[in-house]
Amino acid sequence: MSDNEIKNGTSRNMLERCASVNEYFDISFKVMLLGDSAVGKTCVLVRFKDGAFLGGNFIATVGIDFRNKVVTVDNMKVKLQAWLTEIHEYAQKDVVIMLLGNKSDMAAERVIKPEEGQKLAKEYGVPFMETSAKTGINVELAFLAIARQVLELKHRAAQQPHEPKFQIHDYIESQKQKSNCCGAFM
Ligand SMILES: Nc1nc2c(ncn2[C@@H]2O[C@H](COP(=O)(O)OP(=O)(O)OP(=O)(O)O)[C@@H](O)[C@H]2O)c(=O)[nH]1
């Protein structure tokens, strides 16, 4: 790319879109993982980004951490910037919230039944999913469902009234893999 092209606003924008993750994206959103210490937020993030499990000694996150990943939703490249934070804030109306019960692989140590997770999620009117950073079950799906729902909110204003709306609950139910356990909410 020439200097002239770099000075051009569009090209600079393009450079910014490619620089941080070495992959082009059309739109970018922030995803925040909130939950008690040691529920597995870091591991879910690493599983989503790198497809690996961080086993071994637990080291609590100090401050904040984030990872970027570009996913494809309906031919759109969506950059998800997933933030891990201990700051609990009241979400605005246009924020998509999902309840995850992590460590679903730990069947023997289960303390919370799936129905209890569902009930809590229903109380808050949010979707619920059991995940495992260890096995990877439902981790990618959780982030994809969030990306789809955020895109839906963004496009809703432009939608025709007769156009079917994306239903995050139906999407999750049709895609999710069942597991037998969970012990930690985020
Ligand atoms: N079996 C199992 N262990 C997990 C899973 N996810 C995380 N762990 C373990 O749980 C411990 C805590 O995981 P972290 O991801 O560091 O927890 P965190 O929520 O980020 O903790 P803070 O940094 O204190 O907020 C680590 O020892 C992980 O290896 C999981 O899905 N299954």
Side-chain angles (χ1 to χ4, degrees):
M1 193 175 283
S2 70
D3 284 351
N4 279 346
E5 281 173 312
I6 290 171
K7 280 176 196 148
N8 173 294
T10 310
S11 298
R12 184 180 299 136
N13 192 14
M14 170 89 83
L15 268 186
E16 283 169 3
R17 287 174 172 202
C18 297
S20 55
V21 289
N22 289 329
E23 194 177 348
Y24 177 81
F25 59 90
D26 299 300
I27 194 160
S28 113
F29 301 117
K30 289 190 174 70
V31 181
M32 303 184 87
L33 293 167
L34 308 175
D36 287 347
S37 180
V39 295
K41 300 180 297 295
T42 302
C43 289
V44 167
L45 205 53
V46 171
R47 164 65 69 182
F48 172 62
K49 173 65 175 65
D50 304 320
F53 177 58
L54 272 187
N57 292 336
F58 162 58
I59 303 167
T61 307
V62 178
I64 58 170
D65 187 9
F66 74 92
R67 302 248 186 329
N68 294 322
K69 182 164 171 173
V70 176
V71 295
T72 303
V73 177
D74 298 337
N75 294 325
M76 269 191 100
K77 295 268 187 193
V78 182
K79 179 174 138 186
L80 295 175
Q81 194 176 67
W83 291 80
L84 193 164
T85 177
E86 294 168 37
I87 303 165
H88 292 242
E89 289 175 327
Y90 291 106
Q92 295 170 344
K93 274 188 186 153
D94 59 351
V95 170
V96 177
I97 300 176
M98 180 184 291
L99 179 66
L100 298 183
N102 191 42
K103 306 193 184 183
S104 64
D105 56 282
M106 297 177 69
E109 289 93 338
R110 175 182 277 277
V111 289
I112 297 167
K113 295 180 194 145
E115 306 84 75
E116 292 175 272
Q118 289 287 9
K119 188 166 169 263
L120 185 64
K122 206 169 172 189
E123 273 171 33
Y124 287 105
V126 300
F128 170 68
M129 225 185 294
E130 294 197 338
T131 58
S132 168
K134 188 170 186 177
T135 65
I137 193 167
N138 291 333
V139 171
E140 177 100 7
L141 174 60
F143 284 92
L144 275 180
I146 292 277
R148 282 181 176 272
Q149 182 69 75
V150 175
L151 276 181
E152 158 80 12
L153 286 179
K154 207 168 168 52
H155 293 152
R156 189 168 288 172
Q159 271 178 339
Q160 300 302 317
H162 60 271
E163 260 186 62
K165 290 191 168 62
F166 172 68
Q167 302 289 347
I168 192 167
H169 289 85
D170 297 345
Y171 175 71
I172 289 170
E173 285 310 313
S174 68
Q175 303 288 315
K176 83 177 170 191
Q177 295 171 267
K178 305 274 187 246
S179 58
N180 298 320
C181 178
C182 104
F185 283 137
M186 68 179 76

